[in-house]
Amino acid sequence: MIQIKHLQKSFGKLDVLLDVNLNIKCGEVISIIGPSGTGKSTFLRCLNLLEQPTGGSIVIDGEEVLNGHVNTSKLRQKMGMVFQSFNLFNHLSVLDNVCIGPVKLLGKTRAEAEAKGMELLKMVGMAEKAHAMPAELSGGQKQRAAIARCLSMDPEIILFDEPTSALDPTMVSEVLSVIRALARQGMTMAIVTHEMSFARDVSTRVVYMDEGVIYEEGTPQQIFDHPRRELTRIFVNRIRDFHYCFHSADYDRYELKAAWQNYCSKYFLSRQAVSETRRVSLSLFRLIPLDKGPVDMYFRYSEKTGELSLEILLPVGMESMLHKVENATHMQHVRALCRCIEESIEETDAGDRVRCRFVFRNLNR
Amino acid sequence: MNKCFQIAATLVAFLFIAVMPAGAAGEADAATQTAQPASQGIACFEDLRGRVLAVPSSTVQDIYVEEHYPDIKLDRFDTEADMMLSLQQEKCDGAIMDDVICYALVRKTEGVTILPDSPVPPCQMGVVFGKHNAELCKQFNEFINHLKSTGELNQIMERWIKHFDTAEMPQLELPTSGTPIRVAMEPCTEPIVFIKNEKIAGFDAELIMRFSVYINRPVEIVEMEYDSLIASTTTGKADMAASGILITDERAESVLFSEPYYDSHSRVAVLTKNAHPSIVTSKEDEQNLGIWGSITRSFHRNIIEERRYMLLWDGLKVTVYISFCSALLGTVLGAFICYLRMCRFRVCRTIARVYIDIMRGTPVLVFLMIMCYVAFTKFDNTPVAIITFAMNFAAYVSEMFRTSISSIDKGQTEAGIALGFSPVRTFCYIVLPQAVQRVLPVYKGELISLIKNTSIVGYVAVADLTRASYIIRGRTFDPFFPLLMVAAMYFLIAWLFALVLDRIGRKVC
């Protein structure tokens, strides 16, 4: 239905989309996830030409839309859009919001449009509020009315631009269940969202966008449970990293300590977690000669699972840490605190390195 | 109940304020008195030394007294009627003016006496022509000499000056065909030129009418402010000007004067109670009418007599016409300026900004005079005034339009476009109705302010409502009813316009 190839978009010097490739087939529900500022919304707005892409091609039903010959108004009529800020027409009642498109654009009579409009409002649960003004509605009601307005044009695809981000948590579910119902009816949709569990169970495909490209895509299970790539993993598990690089044995202890304390307070690590992880890392670093080349330390905390882990990257050729930890008697408390200790060789541009991973038992509960 | 009380209280307060000047309450006026009380009474001009004298501004009297009597403090006025009011309110001790006017005024005003002497040398009155109109001037001179030789001129003068309250314009067979002569006049000075029974009258008016018959060309009277009379003959707004204009060397440099037709002496009016008893001639006392009596009399004299309400009615029509046209034109122009101001091209934006800055930075009165006397001298003043007000109004409303349009959330436009509307249709269906809703309250204020601003068209001799009150005051010297009526009428117009606007607003939104 829609083929997007090498789509680019830049605002002045700022390149937002570098090279986006995506095919959307009829009946698909595609969730687009990713960190803020990676161009998810921009991508969506490029699809219905609210933003003019700076390069690439978009082919809709076999017709290239970026060559300037296409009737953009007709195109947009087939592509509904639901905005983060609802954007209901404030001077019109809910019913008029739903009728204005069919009457003025599709040439329907007022009576036809109202009958259809009431049906749609019934579907989104807003029939009772048909004659209310937008200012009298709650956020969730506004968004449901906006969805009805979008449906009034009989679109072939609906683009949702963070439909629940501006909503109170109590109102999120009423909007999501409307979208779910649409998905069940087989509506083609592209949804930019931060609601991960919603994305997981509503979509047929999940697209992770980062760094101006589609970084990884796949079924919800693939993306959420077994992300193949690093950034995806960090994003879906909401992993917060603490990184420090030891260049020599005379590293700045105070700088490290301050950075560490800052990290702990930022992500609300429990006191126990702070003190235990500190004990473990102190013990471990006693085993590592820091003057044999740079050593990287990653402390990772997943907000999703609560999992804490410590990863140490060492130059190859050092004595196996795993072996020491597993055998030395003074490492007993490390063994007791970690539920998983693994060691692997990792290839990097600067040569091979050894990665030691210590996963802590649940300390942050 | 509470509301009723409020209205009643307002009415009572209003009436109280209204009655005070009408009743000519001496106590109230004494508080504002700035002039010195006379110890022995003023007997001659010399006694005015060290006191306040009202003079018509930049006239022979003004210049002469300032030069020869530096110890007399001068208060300058535009009309003799205002000078007389000032004298009655004891803001000055004497008022100096041309004798014809002085006699007429004193006869109408109670408690005023004329001093026997005046130091200002007599002046001659003449009719003014533009330098290019020498031929017409020659014809007029022939006409004046003819009148002088037959003695008719003296008769005319006698009739108007001595018996002006009974004098009538002669029934003349005025020519109707031929190119009309445009004569500039200021019809606010009795008995020279004034409005009587809705018609122009006075000895200058009679001279002009007779001249018209004499040369067999019709006359078209162009009413304007005294200050504009002489200038109008050079700019071509009028062929000649007559309103008791005194011949001075300075004026003769830029225009042609006809042969003098009257020697004007200056006379000084003082309050009888300040005058020395020797110069006061006894006058019949008017009966005391009481407050209600004087109000009714004042109303009758100012509004009913000589069908003066027709003056107000005509003025009202002019004011409504000017307000309506300039509001309509100004709104359209304002929308266009707003479009330029929000245009994507920088040149357009700059043009609009400069236009707005200039319009807002210039007093509308000054701009009006520039338009009438500099830019469009050949056109009728009413349309020029409408264009002027429209241009000024446009500058203000364009900024209102702009702020209200840009106050509409961008998301509204986006939603419209995303639904499939073209940008223009999005603007018409989505943005405009909301912008109109927001702009209406401020727009209404600006409209009312426009209506009130039109009161300055009198300066370019358009006979609007304010001008009508001016003309009536020029005849009756009573400021109370004309001003109050006019204020009430402006209020009504503004209220009606606002009401109509509310109706429109409710329909649009």
Side-chain angles (χ1 to χ4, degrees):
Chain A
M1 182 179 172
I2 303 178
Q3 285 98 39
I4 300 132
K5 290 198 188 89
H6 309 299
L7 191 72
Q8 286 174 14
K9 172 72 190 172
S10 43
F11 294 102
K13 278 185 186 153
L14 182 72
D15 296 322
V16 181
L17 302 179
L18 297 176
D19 181 14
V20 178
N21 299 286
L22 188 69
N23 284 338
I24 302 175
K25 290 192 270 306
C26 204
E28 271 194 305
V29 178
I30 296 181
S31 291
I32 302 165
I33 58 170
S36 308
T38 48
K40 303 183 299 290
S41 292
T42 308
F43 170 60
L44 217 56
R45 292 159 63 86
C46 280
L47 285 185
N48 69 353
L49 302 181
L50 270 185
E51 303 283 359
Q52 191 66 36
T54 38
S57 88
I58 300 174
V59 176
I60 298 177
D61 295 334
E63 196 185 1
E64 170 62 53
V65 298
L66 291 185
N67 55 15
H69 301 306
V70 85
N71 182 340
T72 45
S73 295
K74 279 270 175 296
L75 176 82
R76 289 179 186 131
Q77 288 174 23
K78 291 191 286 178
M79 262 192 190
M81 186 157 198
V82 174
F83 297 86
Q84 179 178 353
S85 49
F86 329 128
N87 296 345
L88 281 183
F89 303 136
N90 290 326
H91 62 304
L92 300 176
S93 70
V94 169
L95 186 59
D96 287 336
N97 262 283
V98 177
C99 290
I100 186 167
V103 170
K104 305 265 185 197
L105 291 167
L106 304 180
K108 288 193 183 173
T109 64
R110 179 87 204 162
E112 275 174 347
E114 276 190 15
K116 170 92 187 297
M118 282 311 290
E119 211 173 282
L120 290 171
L121 288 177
K122 222 171 268 172
M123 195 198 108
V124 299
M126 290 289 295
E128 217 172 30
K129 295 273 182 185
H131 298 286
M133 296 305 279
E136 301 159 21
L137 303 180
S138 74
Q141 290 172 328
K142 279 185 199 170
Q143 193 62 296
R144 285 186 284 147
I147 293 172
R149 178 179 67 183
C150 193
L151 291 170
S152 72
M153 297 295 292
D154 283 323
E156 291 169 18
I157 178 173
I158 302 181
L159 313 174
F160 288 89
D161 185 5
E162 304 197 19
T164 57
S165 298
L167 292 178
D168 213 271
T170 53
M171 295 168 185
V172 170
S173 64
E174 63 188 57
V175 172
L176 293 186
S177 39
V178 168
I179 301 176
R180 269 198 192 94
L182 282 177
R184 274 200 296 277
Q185 289 168 21
M187 175 60 81
T188 316
M189 297 190 279
I191 308 167
V192 170
T193 185
H194 290 297
E195 297 290 331
M196 294 304 150
S197 56
F198 167 72
R200 173 200 278 265
D201 51 56
V202 82
S203 35
T204 55
R205 193 141 58 105
V206 176
V207 167
Y208 175 73
M209 272 185 82
D210 205 341
E211 299 180 331
V213 296
I214 292 183
Y215 187 82
E216 187 170 347
E217 61 175 299
T219 63
Q221 287 71 31
Q222 275 171 355
I223 298 292
F224 289 111
D225 299 338
H226 311 288
R228 286 189 306 271
R229 299 186 66 183
E230 181 71 9
L231 289 177
T232 319
R233 196 157 52 224
I234 290 177
F235 180 79
V236 297
N237 291 326
R238 279 178 287 153
I239 287 171
R240 311 298 172 203
D241 261 343
F242 175 78
H243 171 226
Y244 194 83
C245 182
F246 299 90
H247 293 282
S248 72
D250 302 321
Y251 65 92
D252 185 344
R253 278 159 210 282
Y254 294 101
E255 183 197 33
L256 172 61
K257 197 175 172 197
W260 169 247
Q261 275 171 354
N262 193 11
Y263 170 84
C264 292
S265 59
K266 189 170 167 191
Y267 297 110
F268 302 105
L269 295 187
S270 69
R271 274 172 89 124
Q272 196 203 353
V274 174
S275 68
E276 298 292 3
T277 51
R278 190 158 167 269
R279 266 178 65 200
V280 170
S281 37
L282 282 176
S283 313
L284 288 174
F285 276 91
R286 254 180 240 134
L287 302 175
I288 305 167
L290 291 176
D291 46 1
K292 297 257 171 74
V295 172
D296 283 294
M297 177 183 84
Y298 289 93
F299 190 80
R300 313 204 122 154
Y301 166 54
S302 162
E303 282 190 329
K304 188 184 170 194
T305 57
E307 184 185 82
L308 282 165
S309 64
L310 182 68
E311 288 184 21
I312 300 168
L313 268 82
L314 305 161
V316 183
M318 275 193 209
E319 227 176 320
S320 166
M321 266 181 83
L322 199 64
H323 183 74
K324 283 187 194 163
V325 171
E326 275 174 356
N327 298 320
T329 44
H330 64 279
M331 286 290 150
Q332 204 168 359
H333 68 279
V334 176
R335 293 197 293 272
L337 283 169
C338 296
R339 72 177 157 82
C340 166
I341 301 171
E342 18 177 71
E343 198 169 56
S344 58
I345 303 285
E346 193 162 283
E347 287 171 31
T348 65
D349 298 339
D352 289 359
R353 298 180 90 187
V354 179
R355 177 192 286 272
C356 304
R357 188 154 175 262
F358 301 88
V359 181
F360 294 95
R361 293 181 194 287
N362 286 337
L363 289 175
N364 208 33
R365 294 288 149 86
Chain B
M1 187 62 204
N2 202 8
K3 204 163 184 190
C4 281
F5 176 74
Q6 267 182 11
I7 292 168
T10 318
L11 271 177
V12 167
F14 194 64
L15 266 178
F16 183 69
I17 294 164
V19 161
M20 276 208 324
E27 311 86 60
D29 286 345
T32 57
Q33 181 174 345
T34 59
Q36 298 171 11
S39 47
Q40 288 126 5
I42 303 163
C44 60
F45 192 82
E46 281 296 315
D47 292 341
L48 285 168
R49 281 185 185 277
R51 294 175 193 269
V52 184
L53 180 66
V55 293
S57 85
S58 51
T59 55
V60 184
Q61 290 99 343
D62 180 3
I63 296 159
Y64 185 89
V65 176
E66 185 172 37
E67 201 175 307
H68 295 84
Y69 294 87
D71 51 350
I72 293 181
K73 188 180 171 296
L74 296 181
D75 263 359
R76 295 182 173 82
F77 288 87
D78 283 336
T79 67
E80 283 79 4
D82 288 342
M83 289 162 57
M84 226 44 171
L85 272 178
S86 169
L87 181 66
Q88 282 181 302
Q89 291 165 359
E90 301 186 45
K91 287 175 185 160
C92 60
D93 299 291
I96 188 165
M97 58 191 89
D98 294 342
D99 53 358
V100 270
I101 307 168
C102 195
Y103 291 135
L105 284 183
V106 168
R107 206 168 315 176
K108 286 198 164 187
T109 320
E110 292 155 44
V112 178
T113 301
I114 299 178
L115 292 187
D117 67 328
S118 160
V120 183
C123 267
Q124 293 175 317
M125 277 184 196
V127 175
V128 175
F129 297 87
K131 288 229 158 147
H132 53 282
N133 262 333
E135 185 56 33
L136 195 65
C137 180
K138 215 175 105 194
Q139 285 177 319
F140 191 81
N141 285 343
E142 279 170 24
F143 163 70
I144 286 289
N145 287 330
H146 167 75
L147 285 187
K148 276 181 184 162
S149 63
T150 57
E152 274 177 285
L153 188 63
N154 275 339
Q155 286 172 17
I156 296 171
M157 289 299 166
E158 195 121 316
R159 185 149 45 83
W160 285 108
I161 292 166
K162 299 247 171 82
H163 311 289
F164 79 93
D165 30 10
T166 54
E168 292 289 340
M169 287 288 277
Q171 297 295 322
L172 295 170
E173 287 282 321
L174 291 174
T176 49
S177 59
T179 14
I181 321 167
R182 285 164 302 149
V183 186
M185 290 185 142
E186 192 222 19
C188 295
T189 323
E190 232 172 319
I192 301 173
V193 203
F194 59 100
I195 305 284
K196 189 170 184 180
N197 296 325
E198 300 166 65
K199 287 210 183 84
I200 201 145
F203 68 72
D204 266 7
E206 186 174 340
L207 276 184
I208 296 299
M209 295 306 169
R210 283 178 186 274
F211 178 55
S212 156
V213 174
Y214 181 78
I215 63 161
N216 197 23
R217 278 173 72 185
V219 178
E220 186 190 314
I221 305 284
V222 187
E223 292 181 20
M224 59 180 70
E225 290 281 302
Y226 189 83
D227 295 339
S228 323
L229 286 175
I230 293 175
S232 71
T233 60
T234 54
T235 58
K237 278 237 152 140
D239 299 314
M240 55 195 281
S243 279
I245 300 168
L246 298 178
I247 302 173
T248 64
D249 296 341
E250 196 185 358
R251 288 171 179 170
E253 275 174 27
S254 52
V255 289
L256 287 177
F257 273 105
S258 70
E259 296 269 313
Y261 57 87
Y262 182 73
D263 284 345
S264 169
H265 300 260
S266 294
R267 280 284 170 265
V268 180
V270 296
L271 283 181
T272 308
K273 67 174 183 182
N274 291 341
H276 197 272
S278 66
I279 62 161
V280 177
T281 50
S282 67
K283 211 169 156 187
E284 294 166 49
D285 274 341
E286 296 233 3
Q287 71 217 77
N288 195 348
L289 293 166
I291 284 178
W292 280 117
S294 48
I295 289 177
T296 354
R297 199 188 54 171
S298 169
F299 181 77
H300 193 260
R301 218 171 54 182
N302 283 287
I303 311 296
I304 309 292
E305 239 171 56
E306 296 186 13
R307 308 200 330 136
R308 287 192 172 116
Y309 51 86
M310 285 310 287
L311 273 176
L312 288 175
W313 172 239
D314 289 340
L316 181 75
K317 282 191 286 191
V318 171
T319 294
V320 170
Y321 173 67
I322 292 180
S323 305
F324 181 75
C325 291
S326 38
L328 208 66
L329 194 64
T331 308
V332 174
L333 187 63
F336 177 67
I337 300 288
C338 170
Y339 170 74
L340 287 185
R341 184 78 178 75
M342 298 180 83
C343 189
R344 82 195 128 100
F345 303 108
R346 206 177 160 162
V347 190
C348 295
R349 288 205 304 268
T350 314
I351 291 172
R353 226 187 29 240
V354 169
Y355 175 86
I356 291 166
D357 283 349
I358 290 177
M359 282 298 143
R360 291 201 300 195
T362 329
V364 63
L365 174 57
V366 175
F367 183 59
L368 179 68
M369 300 228 256
I370 290 173
M371 290 286 279
C372 289
Y373 296 141
V374 183
F376 297 103
T377 48
K378 293 268 182 284
F379 292 86
D380 191 14
N381 277 347
T382 312
V384 175
I386 289 174
I387 291 169
T388 308
F389 287 122
M391 285 173 78
N392 187 65
F393 188 60
Y396 285 94
V397 296
S398 70
E399 281 297 83
M400 288 177 191
F401 291 165
R402 186 172 68 91
T403 41
S404 67
I405 288 172
S406 45
S407 77
I408 307 299
D409 178 23
K410 246 184 122 270
Q412 298 281 318
T413 314
E414 273 181 0
I417 287 179
L419 209 56
F421 285 108
S422 66
V424 175
R425 293 180 88 192
T426 307
F427 180 79
C428 295
Y429 295 141
I430 313 297
V431 179
L432 197 61
Q434 298 185 50
V436 167
Q437 236 167 6
R438 284 190 200 185
V439 86
L440 266 182
V442 267
Y443 178 83
K444 202 161 76 182
E446 196 56 42
L447 181 71
I448 290 170
S449 151
L450 168 76
I451 294 167
K452 293 184 293 185
N453 263 342
T454 60
S455 64
I456 60 172
V457 287
Y459 277 91
V460 293
V462 176
D464 76 327
L465 200 48
T466 309
R467 180 84 181 162
S469 83
Y470 205 74
I471 292 172
I472 297 175
R473 273 194 308 140
R475 290 293 310 282
T476 60
F477 313 116
D478 184 351
F480 175 62
F481 266 109
L483 288 181
L484 216 67
M485 290 286 280
V486 165
M489 278 166 152
Y490 273 109
F491 173 77
L492 270 179
I493 300 173
W495 182 69
L496 280 174
F497 268 58
L499 210 69
V500 171
L501 208 60
D502 280 343
R503 271 283 167 82
I504 294 171
R506 229 170 292 151
K507 253 199 182 144
V508 167
C509 310

